Amino acid sequence: MTPEELRAARDRIVPDVVTGGLRVLFCGINPSLSTAVTGHHFAHPGNRFWPVLHLSGFTPRRLMPSEQGELLNHGLGITNVVARATARADELGAEEFREGGRILAEKTERLAPLWLAVVGVTAYRTAFGERKAQIGPQERTIGGARVWALPNPSGLNAHWTVRTMADEYARLREATRSPPPAA
């Protein structure tokens, strides 16, 4: 990717990979410029989403970002809290996250996944006003879906290794096999 391509990708919207009735709708913070250039989610070479997804058992092999459409065959999809592409997530303001949370709740209600998995606990906290949220399953539902906050797979997240992230994603995968709690 050239610097010109990356500059031109700023604020671009990348289409979701979704269908109704997914097992898990993964929700990124917002598209990177690499994602916006390629049109493929989690496309930055340093992003660990695809290896973690495979190591956690969600996919039978490591998919490339260009194979994102295959997620639908596994009952998985991808969207973002904020739709517009930026170089870094810290370019987004709190109001933009809250508006993104409102839009995400509507989208989740319409698509009816079993689980909404927000990859980035800080984005989840800001978008939904859950200041004390931690990684893992959340008490609340959003749009009828159960919610799990996952570690951000960005290569900039040094607190989590590929293995420790895969372990947390695997906890979610196991939870998707369990029946929902009685209401």
Side-chain angles (χ1 to χ4, degrees), residues 23-28 58 81 104 108 114-125 128 133-142 145-152 160 164-178:
R23 193 166 43 123
V24 180
L25 177 58
F26 289 97
C27 180
F58 273 111
V81 175
L104 178 59
T108 303
L114 296 176
W115 285 90
L116 173 65
V118 181
V119 294
V121 69
T122 303
Y124 172 74
R125 290 174 184 150
F128 296 103
Q134 299 295 314
I135 296 293
Q138 306 301 305
E139 291 294 321
R140 74 179 295 172
T141 61
I142 295 175
R146 297 169 73 190
V147 179
W148 198 292
L150 289 168
N152 182 347
W160 291 79
T164 58
M165 275 191 280
D167 290 345
E168 185 61 30
Y169 281 54
R171 286 182 58 218
L172 168 60
R173 183 182 53 78
E174 286 302 315
T176 67
R177 296 176 176 188
S178 303

Side-chain angles (χ1 to χ4, degrees), residues 73-95:
N73 298 331
H74 302 288
L76 309 173
I78 303 176
T79 189
N80 288 287
V81 175
V82 176
R84 73 180 185 94
T86 60
R88 294 179 325 278
D90 65 5
E91 296 175 39
L92 304 170
E95 184 55 40

Side-chain angles (χ1 to χ4, degrees), residues 16-92:
D16 294 339
V17 178
V18 296
T19 192
L22 294 167
R23 193 166 43 123
V24 180
L25 177 58
F26 289 97
C27 180
I29 297 170
N30 76 305
S32 70
L33 297 181
S34 298
T35 287
V37 168
T38 64
H40 306 303
H41 292 272
F42 301 104
H44 190 279
N47 195 293
R48 300 170 291 179
F49 179 79
W50 298 103
V52 165
L53 203 64
H54 170 61
L55 290 172
S56 66
F58 273 111
T59 58
R61 65 178 178 83
R62 180 177 171 179
L63 299 175
M64 300 300 297
S66 61
E67 298 174 300
Q68 65 187 12
E70 291 187 31
L71 290 176
L72 299 175
N73 298 331
H74 302 288
L76 309 173
I78 303 176
T79 189
N80 288 287
V81 175
V82 176
R84 73 180 185 94
T86 60
R88 294 179 325 278
D90 65 5
E91 296 175 39
L92 304 170

